[in-house]
Amino acid sequence: MKYEVLQRSHYKYSLPVSKSINHCLFKPLSNNNQKLLEYDLTIFPEANSYSHMDYWGNEVTTFYIWEPHNELLVETKSILHVQYEKRNILLDEQILHKMKLESFRQQFAEFLKPTDYTTLSEEMLQSVTSALGEEVNPYIFLQKLNEYIFTHFSYVPGATHVKTIASEAFEKKSGVCQDFSHVMLAICRYAGIPARYVSGYIYGGEDAAMRGDSQTHAWVEVYIPEYGWIGFDPTNNMMAMSQHIRVATGRDYGDITPLKGVYMGNGTQELAVSISVSRLKDNDKICC
């Protein structure tokens, strides 16, 4: 599938800001399932900027505005081709053995340790694993976990905020895709399955709505030997497929915050974000 993604992030300041330094992660990743065909970034007021790859392999743009300003507008346009191949995941004894090796755990240590966002109490972890039942096959365990979170947690925009941690969302049994993903990450890591946070977008179709299709989306990728990183979307109880558009990956939301920075000023700020994901035909022309 070919998509056009438009994102607009608009800060308004109650008092003029004398200068600001910001960085953003809006440029989608390219990999075996996804090819970025076009990317445009527009910043107002005009800013000096440079880009670099961060530790997790994401492209980060840092920009500086030295003149006084009352607003900050960041707009992006991305054209992508996304195609996931359906795979039959068959885990034999050899793969299961690899996942238990100390060398495997060392290789993926950063995605096996809990973080501030992805910490659940032992009681919370035990309650879920007990409900799912004993399961030796990690792939079947992940399918059950994906469905469990979708079934037992309510999708309620506004019930949480960007700083809500997994344990808080678990107690409320509600939240948004960020919270669902943090809870799933905590349980995967507890079960010894390397797992990372994915941010991006989801295409829900012209007439059908999916949870998270009107804003940035988040899901989970787990690593299984011989198969690599495999995506699970607990918010929609599905695997990541061709409607999932990846932008960045990290241990949790803190590693891939889309836009953040500091400014010199005494006023307050308001942020408005708008996102549009449209499907393009393969023969649609890509223009300016």
Side-chain angles (χ1 to χ4, degrees):
M1 295 185 183
K2 184 188 289 185
Y3 298 108
E4 177 186 68
V5 181
L6 304 176
Q7 177 159 346
R8 188 175 191 268
S9 301
H10 190 196
Y11 280 98
K12 289 185 178 181
Y13 306 108
S14 60
L15 295 173
V17 170
S18 61
K19 60 184 65 175
S20 64
I21 302 175
N22 309 270
H23 80 223
C24 61
L25 286 87
F26 291 134
K27 187 173 183 179
L29 299 165
S30 288
N31 57 21
N32 294 335
N33 300 315
Q34 177 174 294
K35 183 178 181 181
L36 181 62
L37 304 175
E38 178 184 319
Y39 178 73
D40 292 314
L41 169 66
T42 304
I43 302 170
F44 179 82
E46 187 175 345
N48 297 315
S49 66
Y50 72 91
S51 298
H52 71 281
M53 300 297 289
D54 69 9
Y55 178 78
W56 311 106
N58 310 307
E59 183 167 319
V60 181
T61 298
T62 301
F63 58 93
Y64 309 83
I65 303 175
W66 301 123
E67 302 298 325
H69 50 287
N70 295 304
E71 62 180 333
L72 169 62
L73 177 62
V74 182
E75 294 181 310
T76 62
K77 174 185 175 182
S78 305
I79 305 290
L80 312 97
H81 184 268
V82 183
Q83 182 173 357
Y84 281 74
E85 294 183 4
K86 291 185 178 180
R87 297 183 294 175
N88 293 323
I89 310 297
L90 302 174
L91 303 188
D92 56 28
E93 290 297 327
Q94 187 176 1
I95 293 176
L96 297 177
H97 175 69
K98 282 184 179 180
M99 296 184 72
K100 296 177 182 179
L101 293 175
E102 182 61 27
S103 58
F104 178 81
R105 297 185 61 82
Q106 289 293 330
Q107 182 182 356
F108 294 97
E110 291 167 320
F111 299 111
L112 284 167
K113 295 179 180 178
T115 64
D116 290 342
Y117 270 113
T118 62
T119 297
L120 294 178
S121 69
E122 183 71 20
E123 181 181 357
M124 292 173 176
L125 293 164
Q126 286 287 347
S127 69
V128 177
T129 53
S130 296
L132 296 179
E134 184 118 4
E135 181 54 64
V136 176
N137 187 315
Y139 181 64
I140 297 176
F141 172 82
L142 290 163
Q143 290 178 311
K144 290 182 177 179
L145 175 59
N146 206 43
E147 183 177 6
Y148 178 92
I149 295 173
F150 175 82
T151 303
H152 289 79
F153 288 71
S154 300
Y155 184 79
V156 183
T160 56
H161 49 80
V162 294
K163 293 186 178 180
T164 298
I165 61 176
S167 59
E168 295 171 338
F170 192 96
E171 289 178 352
K172 292 182 177 182
K173 293 294 189 297
S174 64
V176 292
C177 55
Q178 174 180 317
D179 307 299
F180 287 35
S181 298
H182 282 153
V183 170
M184 186 166 183
L185 286 171
I187 299 166
C188 287
R189 292 168 182 172
Y190 178 73
I193 303 172
R196 66 185 182 185
Y197 186 97
V198 187
S199 70
Y201 312 98
I202 187 170
Y203 174 71
E206 301 299 337
D207 301 313
M210 278 190 186
R211 291 172 166 183
D213 69 344
S214 62
Q215 52 196 332
T216 55
H217 194 52
W219 60 97
V220 171
E221 286 183 343
V222 300
Y223 190 88
I224 296 179
E226 311 302 330
Y227 294 96
W229 292 102
I230 301 172
F232 286 86
D233 182 351
T235 307
N236 291 292
N237 190 25
M238 64 187 300
M239 296 190 68
M241 299 299 290
S242 295
Q243 64 267 52
H244 288 76
I245 302 167
R246 300 163 80 255
V247 172
T249 62
R251 294 166 301 175
D252 56 30
Y253 174 81
D255 286 336
I256 50 79
T257 304
L259 177 60
K260 62 182 178 181
V262 295
Y263 65 86
M264 296 185 65
N266 296 318
T268 58
Q269 62 181 13
E270 292 183 3
L271 171 62
V273 177
S274 62
I275 294 170
S276 170
V277 181
S278 303
R279 185 177 177 183
L280 304 176
K281 296 178 180 179
D282 287 336
N283 58 356
D284 283 351
K285 294 182 178 179
I286 301 173
C287 100
C288 41

